[in-house]
Amino acid sequence: RIRMTSGLNYFYTANSNCLPDGPQFSYTFYITLTGIVASVIHLVAVMLYQAFMSSWKYRPALIFSMVVGSLATIVDLVIIMRWNVTIGIPDKVFFLLGNATFENLTNILHAIPMCAINAKMAPPGMESAVYAFSVGIGTFCYMVSTLLGSAIIQQSGMKTIGDDCNFDDLPRLVVIFQIVVPLLVGVPATLFIPNVHQTESLIDWEKERWYEDKGRSDQILDSQEGTATDDEALDEQGERLLV
């Protein structure tokens, strides 16, 4: 999804001159305290996933995390529109119980099956390279989505610093790019993933004949055996030196 992080950061930390009726969070609260809460929530998310979602198939697990993650953005929308103040809930309480909790929870619930998919896509003998490549692509996409979000905010005409800031377009952008777009794009994208349990293999490498070239297969096996032999020789040398 295209992230509106930069706009939200400015909104939450804007001072009284910029946004008189805004949350006006301090950096200690917004970064430090929220980070501590996020660390605890990450641990809870892993435990919940292991207890309830580890037996699910990939598609339901990913769809569930995307839907809940998109709906969690409603917490930001409520604070931006100041509805929580209208019903008497302070910004800090609503933010900690809402955004800081559900956003971090859904991030982990989504990340675990994605990491499993990346790991199981790797052919035998190329696990490190393929996994590193997949994670690199994911990190690049995260950076691009953040930059796109910043560009959209800049083009929208919002004023995020100085006096008399203007965040009028922020609710609309949050709804479009953090709720609607992820659901319209992400949910159908799960159809490209085999609908199997997370304990099953995604690709049958023997059936796919990954090592079609017999010479290539023998070369890889010889290389692995040679590495093991070298390790044994080094161990023997070390033992002799110790004696």
Side-chain angles (χ1 to χ4, degrees):
R1 64 181 179 179
I2 298 176
R3 304 178 65 85
M4 298 290 110
T5 307
S6 59
L8 290 171
N9 289 344
Y10 281 114
F11 174 82
Y12 283 126
T13 58
N15 57 32
S16 57
N17 293 329
C18 176
L19 194 64
D21 60 341
Q24 300 175 19
F25 292 157
S26 66
Y27 287 104
T28 302
F29 172 83
Y30 189 63
I31 298 176
T32 306
L33 183 58
T34 302
I36 294 172
V37 172
S39 299
V40 176
I41 295 301
H42 287 171
L43 178 60
V44 173
V46 172
M47 296 170 63
L48 289 174
Y49 191 93
Q50 179 63 30
F52 300 105
M53 296 179 63
S54 58
S55 60
W56 292 15
K57 294 183 178 181
Y58 281 109
R59 286 181 191 171
L62 290 173
I63 290 173
F64 175 79
S65 63
M66 281 188 285
V67 171
V68 175
S70 297
L71 295 179
T73 306
I74 294 176
V75 174
D76 290 318
L77 185 62
V78 170
I79 297 178
I80 294 170
M81 301 300 296
R82 316 306 292 144
W83 293 336
N84 61 298
V85 176
T86 303
I87 61 178
I89 303 177
D91 290 320
K92 290 184 177 180
V93 174
F94 196 78
F95 181 81
L96 284 178
L97 296 179
N99 183 291
T101 299
F102 287 106
E103 183 173 355
N104 289 288
L105 180 70
T106 55
N107 285 344
I108 295 299
L109 295 182
H110 185 75
I112 293 175
M114 286 302 300
C115 288
I117 290 172
N118 288 335
K120 292 189 176 184
M121 286 193 307
M126 298 185 63
E127 290 86 355
S128 298
V130 173
Y131 187 79
F133 182 73
S134 301
V135 173
I137 291 177
T139 303
F140 175 76
C141 292
Y142 179 88
M143 293 174 58
V144 171
S145 69
T146 303
L147 292 174
L148 284 175
S150 299
I152 291 171
I153 289 172
Q154 185 175 7
Q155 292 299 320
S156 69
M158 279 194 295
K159 184 181 179 182
T160 58
I161 57 175
D163 297 333
D164 299 325
C165 297
N166 178 15
F167 291 92
D168 292 343
D169 285 333
L170 188 57
R172 175 174 59 86
L173 296 178
V174 166
V175 170
I176 293 173
F177 293 107
Q178 295 201 177
I179 298 178
V180 177
V181 172
L183 293 177
L184 291 180
V185 177
V187 173
T190 59
L191 297 176
F192 293 101
I193 300 173
N195 194 27
V196 297
H197 288 94
Q198 298 173 57
T199 53
E200 300 178 39
S201 298
L202 288 176
I203 303 173
D204 186 347
W205 294 109
E206 292 184 2
K207 183 179 179 180
E208 294 293 331
R209 299 179 64 83
W210 168 246
Y211 299 131
E212 185 69 31
D213 185 355
K214 185 65 169 60
R216 172 62 177 163
S217 175
D218 293 341
Q219 183 181 355
I220 291 175
L221 292 175
D222 291 342
S223 174
Q224 292 175 344
E225 291 175 359
T227 302
T229 304
D230 292 341
D231 290 341
E232 290 175 2
L234 288 173
D235 290 340
E236 290 178 2
Q237 251 183 346
E239 289 176 0
R240 286 175 192 161
L241 289 174
L242 290 173
V243 172

